[in-house]
Amino acid sequence: MSSATLIASGVLALVGLAIVLWANLVPAERLAARTAKRVGLALPAEPLRDRIVRRTRSTRRWIANCGALGLLLTLGGVLLGVTAGWIPDPEVALSWLALGGIVLGTAAGALLGVLTDRPQLDREQPRVAHAQHTSLRDYLDPIELVGARIVVALGVVAGLTAAFTPGAAATSMGVTAIVLAAVGMLSLVVLELGGRRIVLARPRPAASAEALVWDDARRGDDLRTLVTAPLMTGLYAFVIGLPALSTAIPRTGVDQTVALVLVNVGFYVLVLGLLAVLALALARQPARFYLRRLWPEVAAQAATEAQAAPNTSHAEEAEVRDRRAERKSGQTTR
Amino acid sequence: MTLLTIDPASAVPPFEQLRVQLLTQMQEGTLAAGVRLPTVRQLAADLGIAPGTVARTYRELEASGAIETRGRGGTVVAWSRDAGERRVQELASQLAAAAREHRVSPEHVRTLLDAALGA
């Protein structure tokens, strides 16, 4: 095993440690405030606030710890593969597989966070529930949900091509593409089954509409953690499997030069397409998708408040300026 | 979003609270025809009540034609003004048939109906 592999493994292990330390040391209140901002809600008053803060801390810890565990297990697997001679060039495979391990670990962590959460039900208090059936489509933006399925399908095509192209399966890139395609499929199954049967099916006792909207926010956040895994691993599998595709195309009778041009053009079109989708996804604020879909009136109110916020801050700034000016003029008079 | 609330302090039994709220939302149009309702188990778990209570509500609403069960498609809202009118027409025919069968005069049936409507 080369020293470069050991150094890369050490750096990745430190990244895992940093993730765990971050999730366990950052104050829970700050995590909850960050979550509230992302999901477009204000942190509520006690006692709901305390429950949200505790749940946020618990989820973050599960996600971070399982993500770090996924990373360490991947590192161990890669190092074992290197020792066994399955991965000839580990420097290439290591970082990609490590990222795959992290996202699969975080998805498992999100599910464990939901499973270990014990919602409390006060039988003396009124209870509120949705009158309509809710599904994954109510919590995940179609860009994410449909995108994950498409990207995993592309990754599987690339992985299968790598697996059945003579020579490709023996290379580090080929092995990485195959493993990532398999992880992509696994994480898509985790999303489809775990998302429906665990995240959405768990009871959601809520004593008020505010508690219910926060519950939806938490569910949306958990499902977004789950959808990230197939999105990323499928994409990595496709990108890593592209060289295998480029070697497979000439076998279909297409000229090798044409095949290379096709693969290169395809790659750049893919990158441009991905950037466009990413920009669109960010502009649509996918973390607040559940709000627009399930709570349109709350989303409208949040939008109005967001529009008013800059005016408020301008007014505050103006007030500060006025006070400074008053102080200055007072000093001059004296 | 349409919500359902169960008040444990209320004298009205939970199944009736649910039935009235669902029917009101259907009549107001907030629960439109074709909208899928939560499963019995899901709604019971969310509201902290027995699945039998939700099942009874759904059964009564189904009997009145307000909702229908579509196998894998789940329980969906079937209530509409037209459907309501059709059902009243159907019941009126049954009432007329019962009145003829038991030799109750049309005048007396009208009186009974007026009293029922007045209630």
Side-chain angles (χ1 to χ4, degrees):
Chain A
M1 200 179 301
S2 69
S3 56
T5 308
L6 288 173
I7 291 170
S9 304
V11 169
L12 286 169
L14 283 176
V15 168
L17 185 67
I19 294 171
V20 172
L21 285 176
W22 170 78
N24 288 276
L25 295 180
V26 172
E29 276 280 346
R30 200 192 295 173
L31 287 174
R34 205 175 288 171
T35 305
K37 197 176 171 187
R38 190 174 60 247
V39 299
L41 296 173
L43 274 176
E46 298 293 354
L48 182 58
R49 185 192 185 97
D50 181 51
R51 279 213 297 278
I52 289 164
V53 170
R54 276 192 284 119
R55 168 89 207 276
T56 307
R57 180 176 51 207
S58 153
T59 309
R60 280 294 136 204
R61 283 184 180 171
W62 272 112
I63 287 175
N65 295 346
C66 289
L69 185 66
L71 172 65
L72 289 178
L73 288 176
T74 311
L75 280 182
V78 171
L79 295 179
L80 206 67
V82 172
T83 316
W86 299 329
I87 303 171
D89 186 16
E91 287 81 14
V92 179
L94 199 59
S95 54
W96 292 98
L97 289 175
L99 282 169
I102 290 175
V103 290
L104 190 62
T106 54
L111 282 184
L112 287 169
V114 175
L115 281 170
T116 51
D117 184 38
R118 295 273 173 268
Q120 289 162 346
L121 174 68
D122 186 352
R123 294 199 175 272
E124 303 303 315
Q125 290 286 316
R127 274 99 66 183
V128 182
H130 285 300
Q132 292 181 22
H133 172 79
T134 53
S135 67
L136 290 180
R137 281 181 297 178
D138 293 314
Y139 295 92
L140 292 173
D141 193 314
I143 286 184
E144 291 177 312
L145 187 57
V146 179
R149 291 167 185 162
I150 292 173
V151 162
V152 167
L154 287 173
V156 168
V157 168
L160 285 174
T161 312
F164 291 104
T165 304
T171 64
S172 192
M173 297 285 261
V175 173
T176 309
I178 294 165
V179 173
L180 284 175
V183 172
M185 274 178 66
L186 178 68
S187 49
L188 190 63
V189 171
V190 168
L191 166 70
E192 300 280 353
L193 290 182
R196 283 193 177 92
R197 296 192 181 170
I198 295 174
V199 180
L200 293 184
R202 295 281 290 173
R204 50 167 78 194
S208 63
E210 193 180 28
L212 197 60
V213 74
W214 261 102
D215 185 83
D216 282 330
R218 298 294 326 151
R219 275 170 208 259
D221 228 25
D222 292 336
L223 288 171
R224 292 194 67 245
T225 307
L226 292 189
V227 84
T228 306
L231 266 175
M232 292 183 80
T233 47
L235 184 67
Y236 298 157
F238 185 65
V239 171
I240 299 280
L242 270 176
L245 279 172
S246 69
T247 53
I249 289 175
R251 286 169 206 279
T252 60
V254 181
D255 181 66
Q256 195 164 6
T257 317
V258 176
L260 275 174
V261 170
L262 276 177
V263 168
N264 276 297
V265 170
F267 179 74
Y268 289 117
V269 168
L270 177 81
V271 169
L272 282 176
L274 283 175
L275 286 175
V277 170
L278 186 69
L280 185 67
L282 289 176
R284 284 165 64 99
Q285 292 183 311
R288 297 180 185 186
F289 178 77
Y290 79 96
L291 209 55
R292 295 192 294 272
R293 178 98 174 174
L294 296 172
W295 302 88
E297 65 288 352
V298 179
Q301 193 187 336
T304 315
E305 281 169 9
Q307 276 176 346
N311 297 338
T312 315
S313 63
H314 286 319
E316 281 168 2
E317 278 170 23
E319 202 180 320
V320 171
R321 268 202 308 273
D322 288 348
R323 277 187 201 155
R324 274 191 199 145
E326 272 173 26
R327 249 181 276 145
K328 214 172 180 181
S329 64
Q331 279 170 357
T332 320
T333 319
R334 262 183 266 140
Chain B
M1 187 70 189
T2 45
L3 300 179
L4 295 170
T5 310
I6 287 289
D7 183 2
S10 168
V12 182
F15 87 88
E16 185 60 14
Q17 291 184 40
L18 271 185
R19 196 189 67 81
V20 168
Q21 286 177 57
L22 282 167
L23 208 53
T24 308
Q25 291 180 10
M26 289 175 207
Q27 287 163 352
E28 286 171 353
T30 44
L31 273 180
V35 165
R36 194 173 164 188
L37 299 181
T39 60
V40 168
R41 225 166 52 173
Q42 180 79 60
L43 191 55
D46 290 347
L47 290 172
I49 53 180
T53 306
V54 180
R56 184 175 173 188
T57 304
Y58 279 15
R59 259 199 318 273
E60 294 206 0
L61 287 170
E62 196 166 9
S64 68
I67 62 171
E68 61 183 37
T69 307
R70 292 182 184 165
R72 279 176 63 88
T75 307
V76 294
V77 175
W79 191 93
S80 69
R81 295 217 178 272
D82 291 347
E85 203 171 308
R86 272 200 304 277
R87 183 160 164 74
V88 171
Q89 259 177 8
E90 193 184 303
L91 290 171
S93 305
Q94 284 176 16
L95 176 69
R100 274 194 297 273
E101 199 177 303
H102 295 283
R103 294 179 186 280
V104 181
S105 69
E107 289 74 31
H108 192 53
V109 170
R110 279 190 201 102
T111 313
L112 289 173
L113 205 55
D114 284 344
L117 289 170

